[in-house]
Structures are given as C-alpha cells and as structure tokens.
C-alpha cells in the first residue's frame, strides 16, 4: 500500500480533516493516558506511556446497554446505537491492535455479535510504531512486534520531525484520502530510516519467553501443587483482566433504576469468585488457585486450541499494574520448566 | 533495616512458636518491585528483606484464604501465622482482633518501626528503565538508590507515598518481636482534607465526579484492604443488589460511598486502596476525611487500642444531636 | 414553562415511636405534604446508611430517618447507634458533594403527632429549596 509523510506540526490539521469520523485519541487525565472521544485535535496526547487501558473499550465498552424497558413499554434498543458515525482510534500501540485480532474470532465465529461487529467494522485503527517499549513488554514472545502493522489500518512511525505514514488497508486508504491535503511523499532516505527503526524495535524488548510447549505443559500439569504457590500472592482483583487487551468475558444483567430497567452487557472477570458461582451455591473455581490457573490456561492453551494463537499480545499491563506483582512471564517460565 | 536481624528473628520465631507460615516481604527480580512471600520452613527465611520499598500491606492475606496459610502445618504442625507488620499494619491487626476477624493468639507479629515507604508509581516514574535496583536505603531525609553500577540520591519527600506523609503511627502498636528501635512519630495531619472542606459543595462534587468516572470497578481497593474481609460483601450481593454492576458515575459513586463508609472508624491508614488503584483514585482522602471527623468528634482512633469497642457498636449519650429535629 | 418541583422524600420510621407518631398525625387530622413515602423499620439502629444511598440512587431527593427520643429506644440504645452512623454518613455525603441537608433525622415519639406533621412540613420545604438531586442521574 501507499506511503506518505506527515509533518508533525500538521497533525492537528490532519485530525481536523477527519470530520466524517468520531475521533478517539489518548488524552492525558491526572497522570494517566486514556482513550476518549475528542472534539478538538489539540486534546490528543500522543505519548503512549502510562496507558492503563487498551483502546478495547472503544469497541467493546465496559458496560453497554442492549435494551431498555419499563412497566408500560416493551423492550427496545437504546437511542444512538444504530447509525453511528464511523470511528477512528488514533494512537494505538501495535500490541493493542493485535488484541482486536484476538477478539474478532470470539465475536464473529459461532454466534456473530452485532454489537461488537458493527462497531468493529466502522472503526479504523491508526497505530504508532512503538519505539520505546516498556519494562514489562514481551510482545515478541507471543508473535507480535513493536512495529507490526497487524490489525492496524494506518501505521505511523516517528521520524523526529515527521511521521512516516503507511496505509495498510483499504479503510486506511479512505482516511489518507480525506487528509491528503497535509500529506506528502517520503524520500527514499526517509523510507530507509523507517525500515531501520522497524528493524531496531524488537531488540528493545527486554522480557522474553519461549512459549513453545507451554500449552502442553499447562495441560499436563493441570493438577500440580505449584499452581497454589503461583497464586499465593494474588488478591483476586480484576486488574489483570480489566486492563487486558484480549480479555473478553462478559455478563448480561437486567438492572432496575427508578422504575426503568436496562438489559446490559458488562465486563466480567474470571478472577472474581462470583464469575463461576452456580445458583446452587457450588463454585467450581472456589479459590484463587483455580482462578489464576484458569486465566493462564485460557490464554495459553484453550485459545490456541480454538483460534490457533495465544490469547495474549504481550503488552505487559497485567504485570505492571498487578498490585501484588503476580508476574505472568515469570509464572510461564515456572510452568515451562516443570 | 538489618536483613540479618530480620532473618534471625524470623528463624527464632519458627523455632520458638508453633508457626505454620510466615508472611513477609521478598525482593522481586525486576526493578523496584517487592512481593509478599510465604515462608513455610526455617531455611526459607533467608529470602526475607525489608526496605523503604516495602509499601504493600500483608495483613489482608491473613483473612483472604486462611486455609492456604495453614497448609504448611502438615510439616510443622503449626497453627499460628507469623507476619511482618509496620505501624499501620499493626493498627489493622488490632482492628481485626477487636472485630474477631482472627484471634490474637493465632498471630505472631514481627513489628517493624517504619520511616515511611516509597510510592512505586513515583519511583518508577523517576527511573522508568531501572531494571536491577539492588538496594534502597534511607538516611537523613534522602533515599540512596543503588543499581548494578551506579547509585542515585533522591530527597525523601519526592518519593514518599502520600499516605505515609500523614502517618501518625509509624511504630507497631502490638507486636511479639520488635525488630528495630522505635522511631519518632508526629501527630496526624489533615491539612489537605481541610483545604477540600473549604471548597464549595459543587466544586467538591465536580472534583469527585472526575475521579469516580474513571473507576474500573476492579475491586482491587476492596481486596487489598486488610479490613475488607466479609465473606458476603455488600458490593457483590445480587439480592438485594445494593450496587448495580453498571460502570457509570452513579453506580461508581454508590460503590465508593459504600466502600469508604464501611471503613469509617475501621481504616488503619495503610493506603493499600490508593496504592493498588490502576487509575490513581485518591481514595485515602475519603478514608482520612472520616478518620479526622471521627477523631475530632468521637475521640476515637481505629486500631489504636486493643480494648476499644468498635466505633459503631458503641455510643456516648453526649454524641452530636444538633442536626436532629 | 418549568414544571413545579415536587420532591420525593423517603422516610424510615421506627416501629415503636415515629411510625406510631405518624399514625397519630393522621388520626388527629394534622396535615402534612404528601411527598413523604414511609417505610417502617423495627428500629433506627437497623438502618444501614447504604439504604439512604440507595434511596438517593433510585430517585429520592431527600431522606428522613425518625426514631424514639434519646433514652427511650425500645431496644435501649438503637437510636444512639443510629445517631452516630447517620452523623458520620452525612459528613461523607458532604465531602463527596451531596448536600447533607438532604438527609434529615428526627426524634418523634408515639404521642407527638403534631411534631411529626411539622417535621415533614419543614423537611419538604427544605428539599424544595434545594431542588432535585441530580447526582445519581446517570
């Protein structure tokens, strides 16, 4: 596909040109970077640091109302969901973009999910080449790459004064057309510079693990006493699952507020005891051990069986944000060495 | 702190007492991270350490899954659990004993007088690429941070965790073994709370709206709290469902009202809720606001005295009455 | 034109004093505004402040908790315990930006029918002045 050059100081103009889209971009809020709908391009904060959340929530929100009803009115879809404007998510890290690749089969295979798919199809992902990986990044160990265009529609690479803009898909081409006024053609020197940066990126990833054979080890040692050791410090909170770009478990609940009721879909977390609690009171995963084991089993065994890839993009959030330092990479190494 | 002293005392505890498991701090292999570790035999005690990086509280493990901690007793036959506790942890323990969350006789406390701990977010922000921090020590208002082949000095104020800045109980109030000499303590400071109280009602509402809107409802603040140990938590109840599962401003406010109110007169000030929050909510402001009011009006400080009756299980006929018709 | 604000006020009345007091208000033909929706509880001491929060969440603009006078609790000390809890909860409400005047408390004995009607009148006026509670609208 085509290559362009975007002067950094014209980025705002480029974003403004996308008036047919709702633009989501990282915004700085009290020390955090969060993806939010922006109305003014100046709000965008293109520093990818400290993103406790992936842009997963733009397409798969934490809580989403599916139906509204009350005692006088039959259930109907909430206003505003149908006929949305197409969306652009700006400033996506390549690992997070791969995350959507792992969510897609879940929501489109056996039971196509209209809520997810509609938004997914109308959303375009503009990624940033990840030139400074974070201490706990391990994307290269799970098939990713800090400069990977996989899952993205457009990939930007920071060349200092300019962004090198690669169009990856036809959806991306459309956006490039809308912003064509501020784009120029790169020189061959800039092309080489970009390729050099892409080549250097993987070497900057400092945490690695060879995942070969882990799936069978997890299966084989499913009842090993070591799981208990690994889960000893876990406090059963939902941080790892709620910040994960590939976790997708949800619950459907009917909620009543002031005489109205909503049927909604909300994220659930396999780390909560409630997650597997049966109506009878029996809980097949009663302790932290079973729950932590389940999460690793799902990501590194079951997901491979179902979709051929591990359910992990190596973004390192669950390691960085875990309050008690449950370290996924270290745990995988323990399992591998069993 | 002298590692040798800590390890020796821990070993002595294993020899002397009927201990199945000792919960302490261990140095993680990466960066500034410190992990809770569970020592089940005398020899394992060598892994223990303590430094200003030990900002996490270990008390919640006592009530999280007690059976797991006692598993070690297959080998030792021990029925007791030993724990390394700082000043705030000892307050949490006193509160737990008073509420009969765990019997005093079952816990062996290794008390550590604490000079304040480092906020991991602050130190990782200052040294984002630090892979191998080998040691952090404190002397005369400075932290000395050593890496493999370099060392840095940082003023203590810059890295000190916020809740430690307001700490009035650095010394353990209950212990079986004291690991160091007691340190000086100062009175509780509430200047930041008083500043907030001066804000107009609407202004304060806007402040909290901005915060609560970001809450992920991951329950980490509850799970990390040494005093949130109910088997059946009101935040999780389905029937009646006090707090709906929707993640929006109203439900998040309900969640945080319930959480902080349930810690009124119970919060030990360890700052765990704030430390674990992935979206940096200033939850200790809520806890400390209640702590301040309760101290001023009811002359009650949670976890300060083993013989105190819980705040809301007691009363004084002279309690404030002027807000009542 | 703006619709006149008709507040929703939820009342938790203790079985032994205030609920009987409210009864007496009725049988004595004392008037009070119809904005009050009463729930009978055995004692004010059993009121969990989360009930108050839930009332606000589900549409109440104000909440009244009413029980026996100090020293007259049927269970000896339930109202004293309630007083502490509600005092602290009001402070918490104020700190997160909800006007604590929306949560009122009163001591009304079984013989104080007149007082009950006055309390309700006064509270209704107060809440009317404060306007609708919008904090939990989302």
């Amino acid at each position: 596909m085509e290559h362009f050059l975007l002067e950094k100081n014209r980025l705002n103009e480029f974003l403004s040109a996308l008036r047919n889209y709702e633009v989501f971009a990282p915004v700085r809020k009290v020390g955090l970077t969060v993806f939010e709908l922006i109305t003014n391009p100046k709000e965008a904060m293109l520093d990818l640091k400290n993103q406790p959340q992936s842009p997963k929530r733009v397409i798969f929100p934490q809580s989403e109302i599916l139906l509204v009803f009350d005692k006088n009115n039959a259930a109907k879809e909430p206003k505003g969901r149908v006929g949305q404007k197409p969306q652009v998510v700006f400033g996506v890290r390549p690992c997070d973009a791969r995350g959507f690749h792992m969510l897609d089969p879940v929501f489109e295979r056996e039971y196509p999910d209209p809520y997810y798919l509609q938004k997914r199809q109308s959303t375009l992902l503009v990624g940033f080449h990840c030139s400074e990986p974070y201490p706990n990044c391990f994307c290269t160990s799970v098939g990713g790459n800090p400069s990977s265009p996989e899952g993205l529609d457009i990939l930007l690479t920071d060349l200092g004064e300019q962004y090198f803009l690669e169009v990856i898909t036809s959806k991306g081409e459309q956006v490039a057309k809308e912003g064509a006024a501020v784009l120029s053609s790169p020189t061959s020197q800039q092309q080489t510079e970009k390729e050099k940066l892409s080549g250097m990126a993987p070497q900057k990833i400092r945490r690695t693990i060879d995942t070969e054979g882990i799936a069978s080890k997890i299966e084989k040692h499913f009842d090993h006493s070591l799981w208990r050791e690994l889960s000893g410090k876990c406090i059963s909170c939902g941080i790892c699952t709620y910040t994960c770009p590939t976790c997708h478990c949800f619950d459907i609940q009917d909620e009543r507020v002031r005489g109205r009721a909503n049927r909604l879909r909300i994220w659930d977390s396999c780390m909560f005891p409630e997650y597997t609690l049966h109506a009878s009171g029996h809980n097949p995963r009663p302790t932290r051990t079973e729950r932590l084991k389940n999460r690793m089993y799902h990501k590194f065994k079951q997901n491979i069986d179902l979709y051929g890839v591990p359910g992990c993009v190596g973004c390192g959030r669950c390691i960085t944000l875990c309050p008690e330092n449950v370290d996924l990479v270290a745990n995988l190494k323990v399992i591998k060495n069993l | 702190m002298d590692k040798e002293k800590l390890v020796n005392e821990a070993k002595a505890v294993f020899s002397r007492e009927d201990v199945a498991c000792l919960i302490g701090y261990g140095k993680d292999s990466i960066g500034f991270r410190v992990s809770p570790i569970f020592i089940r035999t005398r020899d394992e005690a060598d892994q223990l350490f303590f430094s200003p990086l030990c900002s996490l509280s270990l008390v919640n493990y006592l009530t999280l899954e007690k059976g797991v901690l006692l598993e070690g007793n297959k080998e030792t036959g021990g029925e007791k659990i030993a724990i390394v506790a700082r000043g705030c942890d000892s307050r949490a323990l006193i509160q737990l004993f008073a509420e009969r969350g765990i019997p005093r006789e079952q816990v062996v406390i290794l008390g550590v007088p604490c000079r304040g701990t480092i906020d991991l977010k602050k130190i990782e922000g200052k040294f984002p690429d630090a892979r191998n921090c080998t040691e952090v020590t404190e002397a005369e208002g400075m932290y000395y941070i050593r890496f493999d082949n370099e060392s840095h000095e940082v003023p203590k104020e810059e890295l000190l965790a916020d809740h430690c800045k307001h700490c009035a109980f650095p010394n353990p109030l209950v212990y079986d073994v004291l690991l160091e000499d007691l340190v000086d303590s100062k009175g509780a400071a509430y200047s930041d709370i008083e500043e907030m109280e001066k804000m107009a009602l609407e202004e304060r509402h806007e402040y909290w709206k901005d915060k609560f809107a970001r809450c992920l409802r991951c329950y980490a603040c509850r799970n990390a709290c040494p005093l949130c140990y109910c088997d059946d938590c009101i935040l999780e109840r389905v029937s009646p469902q006090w707090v709906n599962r929707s993640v929006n401003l109203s439900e998040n406010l309900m969640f945080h009202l319930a959480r902080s109110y349930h810690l009124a007169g119970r919060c030990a000030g360890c700052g765990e809720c704030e430390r674990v929050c992935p979206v940096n909510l200033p939850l200790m402001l809520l806890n400390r606001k209640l702590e301040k009011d309760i101290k001023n009006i009811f002359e009650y400080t949670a976890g300060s005295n083993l013989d105190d009756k819980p705040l809301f299980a007691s009363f004084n006929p002279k309690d404030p009455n002027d807000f009542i018709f | 034109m703006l619709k006149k604000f008709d507040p929703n006020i939820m009342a938790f009345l203790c079985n032994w004093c205030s609920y009987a007091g409210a009864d007496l208000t009725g049988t004595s033909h004392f008037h009070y505004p119809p904005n009050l929706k009463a729930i009978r509880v055995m004692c004010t001491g059993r009121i969990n402040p989360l009930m108050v929060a839930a009332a606000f969440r589900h549409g109440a603009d104000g909440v009244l908790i009413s029980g026996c006078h100090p020293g007259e609790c049927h269970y000896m000390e339930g109202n004293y315990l309630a007083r502490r809890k509600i005092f602290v909860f009001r402070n918490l409400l104020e700190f997160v930006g909800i006007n604590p005047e929306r949560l009122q408390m009163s001591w009304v004995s079984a013989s104080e029918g007149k007082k009950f009607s006055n309390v309700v009148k006064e509270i209704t006026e107060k809440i009317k002045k404060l306007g609708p509670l919008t904090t939990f609208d989302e």
Side-chain angles (χ1 to χ4, degrees):
Chain A
M1 284 270 177
E2 282 179 282
H3 295 164
F4 298 99
L5 207 63
L6 171 61
E7 292 293 331
K8 267 190 181 174
N9 56 19
R10 301 193 77 181
L11 181 69
N12 285 351
E13 287 173 61
F14 181 75
L15 287 175
S16 308
L18 307 178
R19 59 184 68 82
N20 295 326
Y21 295 84
E22 285 185 330
V23 180
F24 288 80
V27 179
R28 197 84 175 147
K29 284 238 164 124
V30 208
L32 301 169
T33 310
V34 287
F35 282 89
E36 274 186 11
L37 187 64
I38 58 164
T39 44
N40 180 350
K42 283 186 185 132
E43 291 171 58
M45 218 278 315
L46 297 173
D47 172 7
L48 307 185
K49 272 183 196 137
N50 293 322
Q51 290 180 2
Q53 294 245 284
S54 83
K56 174 177 83 175
R57 60 190 309 123
V58 173
I59 292 176
F60 176 39
Q62 183 160 12
S63 45
E64 182 172 23
I65 297 176
L66 309 180
L67 294 172
V68 290
F69 50 98
D70 59 43
K71 62 181 177 191
N72 300 318
N73 295 298
K76 57 173 185 278
E77 287 196 29
K79 277 180 213 149
R81 203 182 70 75
V82 194
Q84 269 175 339
K85 262 186 171 183
Q87 309 179 130
V88 172
V89 187
F90 207 79
V92 180
R93 277 157 66 172
C95 51
D96 292 338
R98 278 190 82 225
F100 287 112
H101 253 352
M102 306 194 171
L103 295 174
D104 288 345
V106 179
F107 288 106
E108 69 189 11
R109 290 233 181 133
E110 212 173 346
Y111 299 100
D113 181 291
Y115 307 100
Y116 175 88
L117 290 175
Q118 196 187 32
K119 274 198 243 97
R120 178 78 169 103
Q121 275 148 17
S122 64
T123 304
L124 185 126
L125 303 174
V126 180
F128 267 76
H129 165 262
C130 193
S131 54
E132 290 298 328
Y134 305 106
N136 287 316
C137 288
F138 61 101
C139 59
T140 47
S141 300
V142 284
N145 189 314
S147 57
S148 154
E150 201 184 339
L152 289 168
D153 298 291
I154 287 181
L155 175 64
L156 299 180
T157 307
D158 192 338
L159 297 183
E161 294 298 308
Q162 306 93 0
Y163 290 117
F164 189 91
L165 188 149
E166 279 170 272
V167 175
I168 318 283
T169 63
S170 51
K171 266 204 273 183
E173 203 167 18
Q174 188 59 39
V175 166
K177 250 181 221 160
E178 300 206 18
V182 292
L183 299 177
S184 55
S185 298
T187 61
S188 62
Q189 200 186 349
Q190 282 158 333
Q191 175 87 33
T192 327
E193 170 75 9
K194 189 257 153 193
E195 270 151 28
K196 196 177 125 209
L197 283 171
S198 303
M200 267 158 55
Q203 294 153 25
K204 291 191 180 168
I205 301 281
R206 289 174 299 186
R207 300 206 70 181
T208 50
I209 172 160
D210 180 8
T211 49
E212 183 70 36
I214 283 199
S216 59
K217 279 279 171 72
I218 293 180
E219 178 83 74
K220 190 173 156 203
H221 299 290
F222 195 75
D223 294 317
H224 202 286
S225 61
L226 204 78
W227 290 106
R228 179 130 267 185
E229 296 289 310
L230 295 182
S231 65
K233 52 188 178 176
C234 170
I235 57 168
S236 243
C237 74
I239 291 181
C240 49
T241 51
Y242 282 1
T243 59
C244 177
T246 70
C247 272
H248 49 256
C249 288
F250 61 81
D251 191 9
I252 306 267
Q253 294 227 352
D254 288 348
E255 286 184 355
R256 187 182 52 82
V257 179
R258 304 183 181 180
R260 284 174 289 119
N262 299 324
R263 168 157 301 175
L264 50 102
R265 155 151 97 185
I266 26 172
W267 291 355
D268 204 348
S269 167
C270 57
M271 291 290 140
F272 299 155
E274 218 185 1
Y275 180 83
T276 43
L277 184 64
H278 293 183
S280 67
H282 170 66
N283 195 339
R285 291 186 207 135
T287 70
R288 297 168 289 152
T289 304
E290 290 87 11
R291 298 197 281 272
L292 182 118
K293 176 163 69 179
N294 168 69
R295 184 159 190 269
M296 286 174 70
Y297 183 89
H298 188 175
K299 295 219 174 288
F300 292 94
K301 164 81 177 91
Q302 203 178 16
N303 217 74
I304 295 174
D305 293 350
L306 288 170
Y307 309 121
V309 282
C312 172
V313 292
C315 71
R317 283 189 183 87
C318 59
I319 305 175
T320 306
L321 293 168
C322 178
E324 312 292 341
N325 301 329
V326 177
D327 186 329
L328 182 67
V329 174
N331 286 356
L332 284 171
K333 283 186 179 154
V334 171
I335 301 295
K336 195 178 158 80
N337 293 331
L338 272 178
Chain B
M1 181 202 277
D2 189 7
K3 180 182 160 94
E4 210 173 315
K5 164 111 173 149
L6 171 67
V7 170
N8 288 342
E9 288 291 354
K11 286 186 175 173
V13 161
F14 265 100
S15 316
R16 191 176 62 237
E17 311 249 10
D18 181 23
V19 171
C21 178
L22 185 148
I23 317 170
Y25 298 98
K27 180 85 187 73
D28 236 38
S29 51
I30 288 166
F32 302 103
R33 301 276 168 139
V34 171
S35 281
I37 52 171
F38 305 91
I39 307 288
R40 294 181 192 281
T41 61
R42 248 190 86 144
D43 295 339
E44 285 173 359
D46 289 317
Q47 303 165 34
L48 287 168
F49 100 119
F50 190 88
S51 88
L53 290 172
C54 297
S55 59
L56 40 94
S57 170
L58 305 170
V59 180
N60 60 335
Y61 290 104
L62 286 177
T63 48
L64 199 58
E65 269 177 42
K66 209 158 73 181
V68 177
L69 297 176
L70 291 176
E71 268 171 9
N73 70 2
K74 281 178 210 131
E75 285 161 32
T76 61
E79 289 293 341
K80 291 187 182 177
I81 300 161
I83 186 165
V84 177
R86 306 157 300 168
C88 49
D89 301 332
S90 76
R91 282 180 72 195
L93 286 166
I94 289 176
Q95 197 61 35
L96 272 180
F97 299 146
E99 295 170 7
R100 306 199 184 127
I102 187 165
R104 171 72 183 91
E105 308 77 67
Q106 201 178 7
V107 187
V108 182
I109 304 165
L110 287 86
V112 187
C114 172
R115 291 183 169 80
T117 58
I118 292 176
D119 186 331
L120 188 70
K121 285 167 192 158
K122 290 184 188 168
I123 197 169
E124 284 188 343
K126 196 156 177 67
F127 302 98
D129 289 324
R131 296 284 291 167
N132 298 308
C133 170
T134 49
E135 196 185 19
V136 175
T137 52
E138 184 203 326
E140 286 154 15
M142 297 294 273
Y143 284 126
Y144 296 87
I145 301 159
R146 272 176 275 282
F147 301 99
D148 283 342
N149 38 25
E150 55 184 312
S151 71
H152 293 269
E153 285 175 35
V154 182
K156 186 173 169 179
E157 278 301 298
E158 224 176 284
L159 300 179
L160 194 64
D162 288 343
H163 64 273
C164 293
K165 289 182 182 165
H166 310 294
C167 175
F169 294 93
N171 293 310
L173 300 175
V174 56
Y175 52 84
D176 296 293
V177 183
L178 189 66
L179 294 171
E180 258 187 346
D181 295 335
L182 297 179
V183 298
D184 292 337
S185 60
K186 54 184 185 343
Y190 298 107
S191 54
D192 51 340
I193 306 280
E194 280 153 8
E195 277 310 304
M196 277 194 74
E197 284 170 345
K198 284 182 203 148
M199 289 158 81
L201 201 66
E202 289 73 27
E203 207 184 333
R204 225 168 20 237
H205 182 55
E206 286 303 314
Y207 174 87
W208 285 111
K209 241 168 95 172
D210 183 44
K211 304 288 178 289
F212 291 144
R214 286 184 285 134
C215 175
L216 293 178
R217 298 271 290 281
C218 66
Y219 293 81
C221 48
R222 182 199 62 174
N223 290 12
C225 176
L227 288 159
C228 277
Y229 62 97
C230 294
D231 285 337
D232 183 5
C233 174
I234 203 155
L235 300 171
E236 252 168 23
R237 279 272 177 88
V238 180
S239 178
Q241 192 158 17
W242 290 102
V243 181
N244 283 340
R245 298 298 187 271
S246 292
V247 180
N248 59 34
L249 199 54
S250 304
E251 299 302 340
N252 292 356
L253 178 57
M254 283 290 285
F255 179 96
H256 287 287
L257 280 176
R259 194 202 66 84
S260 54
Y261 183 76
H262 278 183
L263 288 163
R266 300 175 66 237
C267 173
C270 67
E272 280 291 272
C273 46
E274 210 168 82
R275 179 185 71 82
V276 301
C277 183
V279 290
N280 300 351
L281 301 186
L283 298 174
M284 278 305 282
L285 283 178
L286 293 170
N287 295 350
R288 285 176 50 246
K289 153 75 181 166
L290 295 181
E291 184 185 82
K292 167 182 156 284
D293 288 358
I294 288 163
K295 190 176 163 213
N296 290 345
I297 310 252
F298 303 112
E299 292 168 354
Y300 180 95
T301 303
S304 61
N305 189 342
L306 270 168
D307 302 321
D308 275 354
K309 251 184 122 179
L311 175 77
F312 287 144
S314 52
F315 66 91
N316 182 338
K318 295 198 187 85
D319 281 347
N321 195 63
D322 50 7
F323 67 102
I324 300 173
F325 279 104
Chain C
M1 208 183 92
L2 270 174
K3 225 176 106 186
K4 204 169 142 258
F5 170 53
D6 211 12
N8 254 323
I9 300 171
M10 184 71 92
F12 296 98
L13 310 178
C14 96
N15 179 59
W16 305 99
C17 292
S18 295
Y19 196 82
D23 247 359
L24 185 64
T25 313
T27 48
S28 318
H29 297 273
F30 296 131
H31 289 271
Y32 65 79
N35 302 65
L36 196 85
K37 294 174 177 74
I39 291 179
R40 174 157 61 166
V41 294
M42 287 311 283
C43 176
T44 49
R46 71 89 62 230
I47 294 166
N48 180 339
L50 203 51
M51 291 170 162
V52 177
F56 286 142
R57 169 72 182 112
H58 289 279
D61 302 297
V63 172
L64 167 68
I65 291 168
S66 189
C68 312
H69 283 272
E72 293 173 13
C73 175
H74 187 79
Y75 306 101
M76 316 309 281
E77 55 189 47
N79 52 359
Y80 282 126
L81 297 174
R83 184 169 65 180
R84 265 199 171 181
K85 289 193 276 187
I86 298 307
F87 179 83
V88 173
F89 192 63
R90 276 171 57 108
N91 288 6
L92 178 61
L93 287 179
E94 189 175 17
F95 197 64
V96 298
I98 298 171
N99 196 324
E101 294 294 312
R102 291 188 186 273
L103 171 54
Q104 295 289 348
M105 208 170 171
S106 65
W107 304 135
V108 173
S109 79
S111 62
E112 293 178 317
K114 186 71 195 158
K115 181 176 179 186
F116 187 78
S117 93
N118 288 339
V119 164
V120 179
K121 275 180 201 157
E122 207 167 315
I123 285 172
T124 311
E125 275 318 303
K126 258 193 182 155
I127 305 296
K128 268 187 181 161
K129 264 193 206 123
L130 290 175
L133 176 66
T134 53
T135 313
F136 292 97
D137 275 359
E138 194 183 320

